[in-house]
Amino acid sequence: MKLKIIYVIIFLCAFVVLTYFVSNYDELNVKETFSENNSNYTMKNLKEGSDKYHIDIYYPQTIYDVLNIKIKADIQNIVSDFKNLLNEEHDKEYVLEISFDYYEYEGYISFAFNVFRQTGGAHPNTNTFTVNYDIRNNKIIDIVELTKMYPSILKVFSKVSYESLKDNDKILEYGNEEMFNKGIEEKVENFRNFVFDKNNIILFYNSYDIAPYVAGSFVVKIPYDKLENE
């Protein structure tokens, strides 16, 4: 009798352990988008879906409230726009996926969010948006704030982008001069996506920013000494 009780207890314990691991499967298998330990954030994962759509979002939860509010607001806007499309009739599964990359430079931290959407079109759409935070002054740094810090920065961005991309094979093959020149004009809307890394300000040009979709996206690195020399 005692032996049967022991077997029952062992079975129940095994069942509880198995149930725990199954219920936490997603948590235990979270994709690492930044492999190093970082004191500035922890990675969170949002998953949601049905037979008609799939959402899989990785985002940082930082130690800075102002930054968290900005990141969550931007992601929520993307999710809301995506869900509005679900009201339309569609046969294929719609997909929204977001991952991120982390950068830092002195008193600044930056995140580049990589957004993938498949909403029934001829091809999926991918784009990058960025969020930058000034730790010392507790504020978000967008392109407008950056022009206040460096009044000639649009000129630098435009000049370096031209020199970096004018001979790019994809620009030459698929682009056109008017679209390219318009996309690197000295306007704040052309340089809204940037991050601070250890050696450069990095600009992100999404599809259609300076060239057609088929050309893809582009990255331009602006060394910090370029800003000091202007």
Side-chain angles (χ1 to χ4, degrees):
M1 185 67 177
K2 290 183 179 180
L3 187 60
K4 289 184 178 180
I5 294 174
I6 292 173
Y7 282 140
V8 170
I9 292 173
I10 292 174
F11 174 79
L12 290 174
C13 290
F15 178 79
V16 169
V17 170
L18 179 62
T19 302
Y20 172 82
F21 278 102
V22 170
S23 65
N24 287 276
Y25 179 83
D26 289 338
E27 181 181 348
L28 294 172
N29 289 275
V30 168
K31 176 184 175 184
E32 290 289 346
T33 57
F34 187 71
S35 59
E36 298 178 18
N37 293 325
N38 192 287
S39 60
N40 283 324
Y41 72 86
T42 56
M43 186 167 61
K44 300 293 185 179
N45 180 222
L46 170 64
K47 287 187 178 182
E48 182 182 330
S50 69
D51 58 340
K52 290 195 172 185
Y53 75 98
H54 167 75
I55 295 175
D56 193 3
I57 297 173
Y58 294 93
Y59 67 95
Q61 177 74 41
T62 77
I63 59 176
Y64 308 105
D65 291 340
V66 170
L67 180 54
N68 289 338
I69 291 170
K70 171 63 175 172
I71 290 172
K72 289 180 180 180
D74 286 350
I75 290 178
Q76 183 58 55
N77 287 336
I78 292 172
V79 172
S80 296
D81 290 342
F82 175 78
K83 285 189 172 181
N84 286 337
L85 297 175
L86 299 177
N87 296 325
E88 304 173 3
E89 289 294 328
H90 58 92
D91 298 326
K92 297 181 179 179
E93 181 187 46
Y94 281 13
V95 177
L96 172 64
E97 296 177 345
I98 301 177
S99 61
F100 67 90
D101 298 300
Y102 171 81
Y103 305 83
E104 61 181 47
Y105 171 68
E106 295 185 351
Y108 302 98
I109 59 176
S110 302
F111 293 97
F113 294 89
N114 310 299
V115 183
F116 172 90
R117 299 180 185 85
Q118 175 59 271
T119 53
H123 52 71
N125 291 309
T126 59
N127 72 285
T128 297
F129 76 91
T130 63
V131 178
N132 301 281
Y133 179 68
D134 181 346
I135 296 173
R136 289 166 293 195
N137 295 300
N138 188 32
K139 66 178 182 180
I140 302 297
I141 302 296
D142 58 15
I143 187 59
V144 174
E145 285 295 323
L146 199 58
T147 59
K148 296 176 183 177
M149 297 162 58
Y150 300 98
S152 63
I153 201 164
L154 296 182
K155 178 181 178 181
V156 175
F157 283 179
S158 179
K159 180 180 178 180
V160 176
S161 293
Y162 176 79
E163 293 297 328
S164 299
L165 297 173
K166 64 183 177 66
D167 296 321
N168 182 280
D169 290 341
K170 290 184 178 180
I171 294 287
L172 294 175
E173 183 176 0
Y174 302 112
N176 66 75
E177 186 175 359
E178 181 182 0
M179 188 176 187
F180 175 66
N181 289 333
K182 186 176 181 181
I184 61 169
E185 282 181 346
E186 297 176 26
K187 297 180 178 180
V188 292
E189 57 266 30
N190 286 337
F191 308 109
R192 61 194 179 279
N193 292 312
F194 65 91
V195 296
F196 301 100
D197 84 344
K198 288 180 170 57
N199 302 305
N200 313 276
I201 292 180
I202 303 176
L203 303 177
F204 296 88
Y205 291 100
N206 291 311
S207 300
Y208 303 113
D209 283 348
I210 59 175
Y213 176 87
V214 67
S217 57
F218 301 88
V219 171
V220 173
K221 295 183 178 181
I222 316 287
Y224 290 114
D225 58 13
K226 291 282 186 182
L227 306 182
E228 297 170 1
N229 295 333
E230 289 294 328

